[in-house]
Amino acid sequence: MNLDLTGKRALITGSSAGLGEATARMLAAEGAAVVIHGRNKDRVEAVAAAIREAGGTATTALGDLATDAGAAAVADAATADGPVDILVNNAGFYRHVSWADATPTEWSDTYNVNVVSGVRMIQHLVPAMRERGWGRVVTIGGGLASQPMNTHPQYNATLAARHNLAVSLARELKGTGVTSNVVSPGAILVEATRELVTQIGPARGWGDTWEEIHPNAVDALIPNDQNRFGEPDEIAAAVAYLCSTYAQYMSGATIRVDGGLIRSAF
């Protein structure tokens, strides 16, 4: 299937590493002109340079989406060379805290970064998509939205909010040619995940090498039908599909890419 995104411009927030970087690389490979976003200039420019070296088109946008001014600066940079047709709201963060340690300030900060930042970009970029009669908004959610853990409750709740706002936006965009959908990853083997699992594995009796630690970590943390962590490109592929013309009939949908970690039929 050729998704052919030639002529489309895509802003992927939080794309200087991890899932965002993988998504940017895949959209660029499908012909989109991608805008790499982050707060660290060197990391952002390194990803953009790698995409250009591979034959793709990439520009950069620096800014902190957690502030109104930062989000406006990112939107201005992203549209400097033309309108944005695709917005992938990927940027987000969380801290490993318990209910006892998740202070109201922690909740507020997490909500601002994970939810309101995405709203800022939607409000900056989607009106022009509506005027042109075509656009894609893809929100990166997660299984913890529907199957939360007892830890980092502030993060679980923001994922649920991300899913909810994406569906509300889909209803708002009825008949406009602009769609809003969610890709919901499971546990994906980005660099930070590998580092964490490798660090805690020996103390938990999972082994000393990655070959030993990996299957035991999966069994202990994320038991799923595929018996492994997911790969960033598996998330990027789902995003790329939702950005294509093939997905025009997808509206307010959630595509789970989690190996069967979430045990629900719906």
Side-chain angles (χ1 to χ4, degrees):
M1 183 179 290
N2 180 7
L3 302 183
D4 191 11
L5 298 176
T6 302
K8 306 299 184 186
R9 184 176 305 278
L11 167 63
I12 307 92
T13 66
S15 48
S16 63
L19 297 184
E21 178 183 355
T23 298
R25 288 176 180 270
M26 189 164 290
L27 294 183
E30 290 292 335
V34 298
V35 182
I36 307 303
H37 161 259
R39 293 178 298 173
N40 184 295
K41 182 178 180 181
D42 290 342
R43 290 171 60 184
V44 166
E45 291 185 346
V47 173
I51 289 173
R52 289 192 290 266
E53 288 171 7
T57 301
T59 56
T60 62
L62 292 171
D64 184 357
L65 304 183
T67 69
D68 291 346
V74 170
D76 288 344
T79 56
D81 296 320
V84 169
D85 306 288
I86 297 165
L87 169 63
V88 181
N89 270 329
N90 167 73
F93 94 115
Y94 67 93
R95 297 186 182 95
H96 290 281
V97 295
S98 67
W99 265 98
D101 296 326
T103 65
T105 299
E106 182 73 24
W107 279 78
S108 179
D109 290 347
T110 306
Y111 190 85
N112 181 42
V113 173
N114 290 355
V115 181
V116 182
S117 291
V119 173
R120 291 184 177 102
M121 301 317 298
I122 288 167
Q123 292 180 340
H124 276 295
L125 300 175
V126 169
M129 296 181 193
R130 296 181 72 146
E131 291 178 5
R132 297 192 303 275
W134 196 97
R136 297 286 187 268
V137 181
V138 181
T139 298
I140 305 301
L144 295 175
S146 58
Q147 192 168 289
M149 298 189 297
N150 64 311
T151 59
H152 40 59
Q154 81 291 356
Y155 177 61
N156 300 336
T158 60
L159 285 180
R162 285 168 78 119
H163 282 236
N164 190 284
L165 74 84
V167 176
S168 176
L169 180 62
R171 302 293 88 87
E172 167 67 16
L173 294 172
K174 177 181 178 181
T176 65
V178 184
T179 65
S180 170
N181 294 287
V182 178
V183 171
S184 180
I188 307 303
L189 198 59
V190 295
E191 182 179 348
T193 302
R194 182 187 287 268
E195 289 178 355
L196 174 63
V197 171
T198 302
Q199 179 181 5
I200 67 176
R204 298 193 179 191
W206 296 343
D208 296 312
T209 67
W210 178 250
E211 290 71 24
E212 296 169 334
I213 291 171
H214 185 193
N216 291 317
V218 169
D219 288 343
L221 300 176
I222 53 157
N224 64 76
D225 299 338
Q226 300 302 314
N227 296 319
R228 64 176 176 86
F229 287 89
E231 296 292 338
D233 278 353
E234 293 174 310
I235 306 305
V239 174
Y241 166 71
L242 288 175
C243 293
S244 74
T245 57
Y246 294 105
Q248 188 64 51
Y249 203 52
M250 302 283 288
S251 179
T254 296
I255 297 180
R256 291 205 308 255
V257 188
D258 62 9
L261 175 64
I262 302 303
R263 314 305 284 179
S264 171
F266 303 103

